[in-house]
Every structure is written in structure tokens, then in C-alpha cells.
Amino acid sequence: VSTAGLSLYDLCHRSISSTSTPKLAYEIITDGKVSSSPHDIINQDKQTIVFLHGLLGNAKNLRTPAKKLTRQLPHLSALLLDVRGHGGSSGSQQHVQPHNFHSCVSDIFHTLKPLGLVGENSPTAICGHSLGGRIALQYTHTLQLQRDHAIQTPQQTWILDSVPGTPDPSVHHVLKAISSIPLPIACKSSLTDTLMSEYKMNKAIAMWIASNLKGKNGEHDWVFDLDIANELVDNFADQDFDTMIHEITSGSSVGALDSTIQLVMAGRNKEWKEDVVSSLRSIPTFGHSFHMHKLENAGHWVHVDAVNELTQLMVDGLSNTKR
């Protein structure tokens, strides 16, 4: 069958039926509590915010801000997704190449549709941390540039400490270290010791990596797919971050809906160099439909280091969202 003339969105959706199963593993949080039923999201007259975790993470990483947010804003439910190659969505056999941001967006489409999150039930907002922030930006940009699609553009896109451009060298250092660890791994403590002694990682990073093991009785493996993770990181430099923000927030595409981007920066992340920040502030919509916030005392994991401040920012921004 010819696919000539079909948009990315069309290609993503032509094979989805209402009876298909969600592409990505997910969990739902309503009124501050984790639920396993998709009906909690679509049958209680609630709006939905999608959460996307960072590289080598999983949906559970964002449980705390999602719980706090839905507790304070009971009109919202949170849909936490494991992006391709991570958590319950890991395994190369589940996902065909290429492993890039467009494919990650396709995965989200293939998850929302079976859950009935389309039309007036489309997510009103999307929030991503680090890698997840880049995917969230790609998701909104894809929807903003399409017309007559089933899933509506989110009113707000929250990007948590996703720095434009190439990834920090420490990312490659971590991926290289993980790739060199022989499998299976005996236990979390031995892995933590190895990462600290041989790869000079600090204890917090080493323990976080060690938390990403599955298995038992000295036979542990990673819960993520390293090949997919490496390919996703290779896409960082190809994403035109500033242009995408401008196109989303200017509403320049025909029939585009108003959409706001909220970029949250970690005050202790040294990658927010002056030239990067100045470039973002030069976007014409800055201060109007594009806003930047700095959490001064937070490191890269803003949802951990400054969860209360982050939650308050999101409560203030999302309290009046309506479809």
C-alpha cells in the first residue's frame, strides 16, 4: 500500500484500531493515588496530563510530582508512561527502528488512542524530564503542525531541565560504563561499588544506576534496553529545540490551537550556559506563550530536589486548563 503523501501523524495512526492494546507500559494517578484502571482517566470527567521520564528511568520516577499535582488539582489525572526501551516498555523486539524522537511520539499516539484519550478527551498537558522533555516537545510540535487529527494539541507543555543541543559528556560516560559491565550482575551493592571505584561515579549516581536492575539470585540484568538508549541520545543534536518552541508557541501553523511551553531549569545544572539561556530568551514568544523558570537550589532531578516548588509552579500554570 502506498504511503505517499501521508503525514507522520497519518502513518502513526492508520493501523490503530479502537481494540488495540496500548503500545507503552503505563500507570494512572488520580487524586494522588496510583490506579491500574484506564477508566479512572476517561470516565470521571477529568483532564489528563502525560508524564515522560528521563534517560534510563521509568514512569515511577515521576510518581511523587504526579501524586502531589493530582491531589491539589483534582480535575486532573496523570498518565505516566515508560518510553520505548525503558521500564515496562523495554525490549528491542517491541520496537522497530529507527529509535528516535519521532518514533517515541508514534508510541505515545499508539498508547493514547486505545485508552480513548482522543478528541475532547485528549491530554490537556504533557510534562517530560530531561529526555522526556525532548520527547514532549516533539509530541506537541508534531500535533501543532498537523490538521484534522484525532488527538488535540496539549494546551501546555512542561519541559523539566532538558538542555538544548548535544548531551552533557557525563551522559556518554554513564552509557559507556553501563555498556562495559559484564552480564549477569551479581547484586546492586556490587554494581554500586564497581561504578564508584572503577568509573569514578559519585555514590548517588551509582546507586541510581544500580536501582535499574531486574532479576534475582545473582542473575541481574538491566530494566532498560541499552541499544535503544544509545540511539535516542544520538538524536539530541538533531533536535532544533529553539525553532520548535517558536513554532509551537507562535501558533503559526494553519488551524493551530493556542499552546504554551513552560521550561523549568535546575539552578545547579551547569549546562545552562549563558549562550543557551540567551538564545531561548530571544525567541519572540518568550514572556508570552513561552515561559522559563529557574529552581535555584535544584540539581538535574528537579522533581526530586525541588518537588514542592515544582508542584506549585505546575499548580499555578494548570489550575485553569479546560478543554
Side-chain angles (χ1 to χ4, degrees):
V1 178
S2 173
T3 58
L6 291 177
S7 67
L8 167 65
Y9 192 92
D10 294 327
L11 290 170
C12 290
H13 279 266
R14 62 183 296 163
S15 63
I16 304 179
S17 71
S18 60
T19 58
S20 61
T21 57
K23 178 77 170 180
L24 299 174
Y26 67 92
E27 66 179 32
I28 296 164
I29 294 181
T30 303
D31 299 323
K33 299 177 182 178
V34 178
S35 170
S36 60
S37 171
H39 298 293
D40 284 347
I41 238 180
I42 60 177
N43 290 339
Q44 292 188 4
D45 196 29
K46 292 180 182 289
Q47 297 169 33
T48 304
I49 177 171
V50 174
F51 280 89
L52 305 172
H53 59 81
L55 186 71
L56 307 184
N58 59 71
K60 293 180 177 63
N61 298 154
L62 293 165
R63 269 185 178 176
T64 300
K67 286 181 177 180
K68 287 178 175 289
L69 184 66
T70 58
R71 194 176 294 123
Q72 294 188 53
L73 295 180
H75 73 283
L76 283 179
S77 287
L79 177 67
L80 282 58
L81 301 179
D82 283 337
V83 304
R84 69 164 47 200
H86 293 72
S89 305
S90 63
S92 299
Q93 69 280 1
Q94 288 183 240
H95 305 282
V96 298
Q97 292 180 311
H99 302 304
N100 55 29
F101 298 146
H102 289 293
S103 296
C104 291
V105 169
S106 173
D107 294 340
I108 298 173
F109 292 160
H110 281 75
T111 302
L112 297 180
K113 187 80 178 270
L115 292 177
L117 295 175
V118 297
E120 292 299 314
N121 285 326
S122 299
T124 192
I126 188 168
C127 174
H129 172 244
S130 197
L131 166 67
R134 288 175 174 271
I135 298 171
L137 180 64
Q138 191 74 54
Y139 168 89
T140 302
H141 187 257
T142 299
L143 290 175
Q144 184 77 305
L145 296 182
Q146 303 299 325
R147 298 178 63 188
D148 301 323
H149 45 67
I151 300 174
Q152 297 179 10
T153 305
Q155 294 178 29
Q156 293 192 29
T157 302
W158 287 79
I159 301 173
L160 309 183
D161 211 48
S162 307
V163 184
T166 57
D168 183 86
S170 64
V171 174
H172 290 295
H173 175 63
V174 168
L175 288 172
K176 184 177 180 180
I178 292 174
S179 299
S180 67
I181 300 291
L183 296 174
I185 298 168
C187 63
K188 294 181 180 181
S189 59
S190 64
L191 175 61
T192 301
D193 293 341
T194 298
L195 293 172
M196 291 174 62
S197 61
E198 296 185 22
Y199 297 95
K200 310 305 179 187
M201 293 185 189
N202 65 50
K203 187 173 182 179
I205 296 293
M207 290 180 67
W208 168 67
I209 293 173
S211 71
N212 286 288
L213 291 179
K214 61 181 178 180
K216 57 184 179 180
N217 300 326
E219 298 283 327
H220 293 82
D221 197 354
W222 304 111
V223 297
F224 45 72
D225 187 301
L226 270 174
D227 291 334
I228 293 178
N230 276 291
E231 286 192 49
L232 290 175
V233 169
D234 289 341
N235 280 266
F236 278 32
D238 297 331
Q239 189 176 42
D240 194 345
F241 208 87
D242 292 18
T243 298
M244 292 172 71
I245 288 177
H246 180 223
E247 290 179 349
I248 291 169
T249 56
S250 65
S252 57
S253 59
V254 177
L257 300 174
D258 292 337
S259 192
T260 300
I261 290 182
Q262 308 279 358
L263 175 61
V264 179
M265 301 178 294
R268 293 194 282 113
N269 185 349
K270 296 180 180 178
E271 289 304 301
W272 287 110
K273 300 184 180 352
E274 184 57 38
D275 61 326
V276 174
V277 175
S278 295
S279 178
L280 288 165
R281 286 178 175 162
S282 70
I283 295 174
T285 53
F286 173 66
H288 300 283
S289 48
F290 170 47
H291 303 277
M292 296 170 65
H293 314 271
K294 180 183 277 190
L295 299 179
E296 294 289 351
N297 296 319
H300 181 54
W301 285 281
V302 293
H303 53 291
V304 176
D305 296 343
V307 65
N308 291 329
E309 295 92 327
L310 173 63
T311 302
Q312 190 57 55
L313 274 178
M314 298 186 71
V315 167
D316 293 342
L318 293 164
S319 58
N320 293 319
T321 54
K322 290 182 179 180
R323 275 287 176 211

